Amino acid sequence: MRFFDRIDEKERLSRAFASSSGSFCCLYGRRRCGKSRLLQETLPRRHAVYHVADQMEPALQRQRLASDMAAAIPGFDRAVYPDWAALLDRWRTEAPSGACLVLDEFPYLAARSPELPSILQRMLDAAAGRALHTVICGSSQRMMQGHVLEPSAPLYGRAREILKIPPLAFGWIARAFPNASPREALEQFRVWGGVPRYWELAVECASLDDAIQRLVLSPQGVLHQEPRQLLMDDMADVVQASSILALIGQGCHRLSEIAARLGKPVTSLTRPLAKLQDLDLIVREIPFGADERSGKKSLYRIADPFLGFWFRFVQPNRSMLESAPVTAIQRKVREAFSQHVAWVLETLARRAVPRLVGREWGVARKWWGNGADGQPVEFDVVAESSDGRDVLIGEVKLSASAGEIGSLRAKLREKASGISFSKKYRRLETVVFSANQEASKTSGVVTVGDLLQALM
């Protein structure tokens, strides 16, 4: 599959590798988001050593690395290196000018040799001023941050670039599935999210239904165990993290609900929930206008579409998937799929609001509370204009037609007029977000095609 986006990251890395005084860079992020591909697209053509570490004993790790280094320094692998200091000292003194050493999956090396970050730090300090470039890369965000971002870490303060590589934005999925309609692109994103490796696997399947069956639902599917691997990269307590995600995936969105189902006090979940948020696996939603710190009303949702799909359809049905035909679960997926597509459309709508052409809007949020009559009211999208005078209120209707837009906006305006927060604004603008492209020329509608253009 073609390489998409990462324009800013490529520019930063290229600048670093062009420096005549050398550089040290750190890349991290969840697995399968394209860190290795980004490096391969950006590395200098000459004297680049790209080494992917594994979980072998240190002596074997050094032997494999020395073999890779021999591509830049002939005969480098003929010696036996008793420790990391001996190997890296020789690399520093004999590597040709402009050489670049990439240590991918660096946490594997550091886990077996805790002294390695300090030795690497001494090598970087000794090579200061030389055109020698070093990159460490890894999927364990917890370990990579600990090696580079913690003030007590040996490598702290030495990186020229620290790049967190997130999943790709929604708009790029149309490039991966060029024959898909905007609605079909949305459905693909609902399952795979912005992870390019998932796209690469799915595009080889006959259809989305076929990809879900082969890659995810089938116990032999390459992504059937994916969430466990993601959690093992970063969570000390995989069981607790998986339990929290399972509950959220099944509809427990309030902290009190999650705690009650786990049989634990609310206070004991503060740290694991914060960790899952730091890893961008869950998101804490607070109503528009509420204070992020002191606000008591909040909901927790799975942030990643693929994890949301897995914990909704795979996790609760694993026993059945092991013992019965996959077709039974496929029926469940089909029956509930529109509801989950609507959820991701709602998320994308809020994300796109500040980027929509025409007006400058701030960050969009959901809002829920009681209306003037005391009955519960909910708005999918609410955002304030950049000057603070106007408010945008939007509703997500997956299949809203052109003929329905006017009445939907009128009902939305009527419902909003009875909410206290809307009264402070000079003007109230209503918008309907729809996956129906036929409504694209109707006033006050934003379609999936518009979102694909905005979220690039």
Side-chain angles (χ1 to χ4, degrees):
M1 193 172 73
R2 285 174 50 207
F3 183 74
F4 298 119
D5 196 17
R6 311 302 189 202
I7 297 167
D8 180 57
E9 292 89 341
K10 284 183 70 174
E11 183 182 335
R12 287 174 176 276
L13 288 172
S14 297
R15 254 198 326 264
F17 296 153
S19 171
S20 60
S21 57
S23 63
F24 171 55
C25 301
C26 170
L27 277 74
Y28 69 98
R30 66 176 277 184
R31 60 175 57 229
R32 303 187 193 269
C33 277
K35 300 180 295 295
S36 301
R37 179 75 179 273
L38 168 63
L39 285 168
Q40 291 163 4
E41 293 279 336
T42 316
L43 284 173
R45 294 186 179 181
R46 297 181 67 237
H47 309 314
V49 174
Y50 185 87
H51 176 73
V52 181
D54 52 32
Q55 300 186 59
M56 292 182 176
E57 289 295 324
L60 296 178
Q61 290 175 337
R62 289 193 292 272
Q63 184 180 330
R64 288 187 61 245
L65 178 54
S67 178
D68 289 339
M69 287 174 162
I73 305 174
F76 195 92
D77 54 346
R78 293 176 190 166
V80 176
Y81 300 93
D83 52 40
W84 288 106
L87 184 146
L88 292 176
D89 280 345
R90 185 179 176 194
W91 169 258
R92 174 181 60 81
T93 56
E94 296 186 21
S97 179
C100 184
L101 171 63
V102 176
L103 300 176
D104 201 350
E105 297 299 351
F106 181 74
Y108 290 160
L109 300 177
R112 304 297 299 182
S113 303
E115 75 282 6
L116 182 56
S118 295
I119 295 170
L120 187 59
Q121 171 229 315
R122 291 198 294 271
M123 186 200 84
L124 294 171
D125 291 348
R130 281 194 59 203
L132 195 63
H133 309 286
T134 307
V135 181
I136 62 173
C137 179
S139 299
S140 174
Q141 300 183 61
R142 171 175 54 88
M143 291 189 68
M144 291 300 292
Q145 290 173 345
H147 290 313
V148 180
L149 298 179
E150 291 289 337
S152 59
L155 296 171
Y156 178 76
R158 285 171 172 77
R160 172 171 176 152
E161 297 289 351
I162 301 174
L163 302 177
K164 181 178 180 180
I165 308 302
L168 290 169
F170 171 55
W172 294 101
I173 202 166
R175 307 285 181 91
F177 298 88
N179 297 321
S181 67
R183 172 65 182 259
E184 290 168 340
L186 176 66
E187 291 174 350
Q188 293 283 357
F189 194 83
R190 174 61 193 96
V191 181
W192 316 117
V195 180
R197 178 54 179 160
Y198 300 168
W199 300 356
E200 192 173 39
L201 292 168
V203 80
E204 296 175 358
C205 298
S207 64
L208 176 58
D209 196 53
D210 180 54
I212 291 171
Q213 187 271 320
R214 290 176 179 273
L215 302 176
V216 188
L217 298 183
S218 170
Q220 287 75 44
V222 68
L223 300 179
H224 187 71
Q225 298 279 2
E226 182 76 357
R228 179 173 176 79
Q229 296 301 318
L230 284 172
L231 294 176
M232 286 177 65
D233 283 340
D234 283 298
M235 301 297 293
D237 190 341
V238 173
V239 173
Q240 184 182 55
S242 183
S243 299
I244 292 171
L245 288 168
L247 289 173
I248 296 174
Q250 295 304 303
C252 293
H253 301 300
R254 299 181 189 279
L255 179 56
S256 57
E257 285 182 282
I258 299 168
R261 292 285 297 275
L262 291 174
K264 295 187 175 185
V266 168
T267 51
S268 70
L269 297 181
T270 304
R271 292 186 67 181
L273 285 169
K275 184 63 180 176
L276 288 168
Q277 283 181 264
D278 289 342
L279 295 173
D280 299 324
L281 300 182
I282 66 171
V283 62
R284 175 176 173 256
E285 293 182 344
I286 62 171
F288 172 82
D291 186 271
E292 205 159 331
R293 293 185 178 179
S294 61
K296 294 182 179 179
K297 291 168 62 176
S298 62
L299 301 174
Y300 289 91
R301 300 189 186 276
I302 296 179
D304 176 70
F306 176 79
L307 286 181
F309 181 87
W310 195 93
F311 280 102
R312 171 65 181 85
F313 296 109
V314 180
Q315 192 275 337
N317 297 299
R318 295 194 69 183
S319 297
M320 187 181 292
L321 288 168
E322 292 287 345
S323 58
V326 172
T327 51
I329 307 304
Q330 282 182 304
R331 282 196 297 273
K332 289 187 177 183
V333 173
R334 294 190 192 104
E335 289 167 3
F337 198 67
S338 290
Q339 174 188 347
H340 289 273
V341 172
W343 171 80
V344 81
L345 177 58
E346 187 179 311
T347 302
L348 293 171
R350 288 194 289 269
R351 196 175 297 168
V353 163
R355 300 181 177 212
L356 293 175
V357 177
R359 286 292 307 273
E360 290 187 4
W361 299 102
V363 174
R365 289 181 177 168
K366 195 182 186 74
W367 187 89
W368 64 94
N370 292 328
D373 58 359
Q375 296 300 308
V377 177
E378 187 174 293
F379 297 115
D380 298 328
V381 182
V382 184
E384 186 179 76
S385 62
S386 57
D387 60 11
R389 295 182 177 182
D390 303 334
V391 65
L392 177 147
I393 296 183
E395 183 166 1
V396 172
K397 286 290 185 182
L398 195 60
S399 301
S401 66
E404 295 176 291
I405 301 301
S407 62
L408 285 171
R409 292 182 69 196
K411 290 178 183 177
L412 195 57
R413 178 175 291 276
E414 181 183 355
K415 187 166 65 170
S417 63
I419 305 300
S420 57
F421 78 79
S422 69
K423 300 183 186 304
K424 73 173 187 175
Y425 294 102
R426 176 188 60 185
R427 190 167 68 91
L428 188 154
E429 185 168 327
T430 56
V431 177
V432 174
F433 295 85
S434 173
N436 186 351
Q437 282 301 119
E438 294 179 2
S440 59
K441 295 182 180 179
T442 309
S443 176
V445 69
V446 175
T447 65
V448 175
D450 300 321
L451 299 183
L452 284 167
Q453 292 181 10
L455 295 172
M456 289 285 281

